[in-house]
Amino acid sequence: MPKSRIRKKDDFTPPPVKQQNIKLTTGRGWVAPLMLAMFLIGLAWIVVFYVTSGDMPVESLKNWNIVVGFGFIAAGFVVSTQWK
């Protein structure tokens, strides 16, 4: 029986690495600071209202100060939807 030829295989060369342009800044650097600021302002508003027995931050709003504080917190959640 005839002997078959041995094929020489080429050495493995990995495919060339493609250069990818990764843009790290998305232009939304304002979202996280604003979101945290809204949360903290809302929390501080409610805490100040309770600590001062309703005399501050706005005395004429009375118990509506709680709604204002939660409004700031809700605004923080709305801003958080823009975070990527």
Side-chain angles (χ1 to χ4, degrees):
M1 192 152 205
K3 191 175 179 183
S4 65
R5 292 189 213 165
I6 299 174
R7 295 184 208 166
K8 183 175 185 203
K9 294 183 180 181
D10 294 333
D11 292 333
F12 175 75
T13 56
V17 178
K18 295 180 182 178
Q19 292 289 339
Q20 295 181 356
N21 294 334
I22 299 174
K23 188 175 181 183
L24 295 177
T25 57
T26 59
R28 295 183 188 238
W30 55 272
V31 175
L34 181 63
M35 175 185 65
L36 292 174
M38 297 297 255
F39 288 152
L40 292 175
I41 289 170
L43 179 66
W45 193 289
I46 294 171
V47 168
V48 167
F49 174 71
Y50 277 115
V51 168
T52 62
S53 300
D55 292 337
M56 288 178 66
V58 181
E59 186 176 3
S60 63
L61 289 178
K62 300 187 182 186
N63 285 336
W64 282 98
N65 280 307
I66 298 170
V67 175
V68 172
F70 278 113
F72 276 113
I73 293 171
F77 279 113
V78 170
V79 171
S80 72
T81 62
Q82 298 299 315
W83 195 10
K84 286 188 178 187

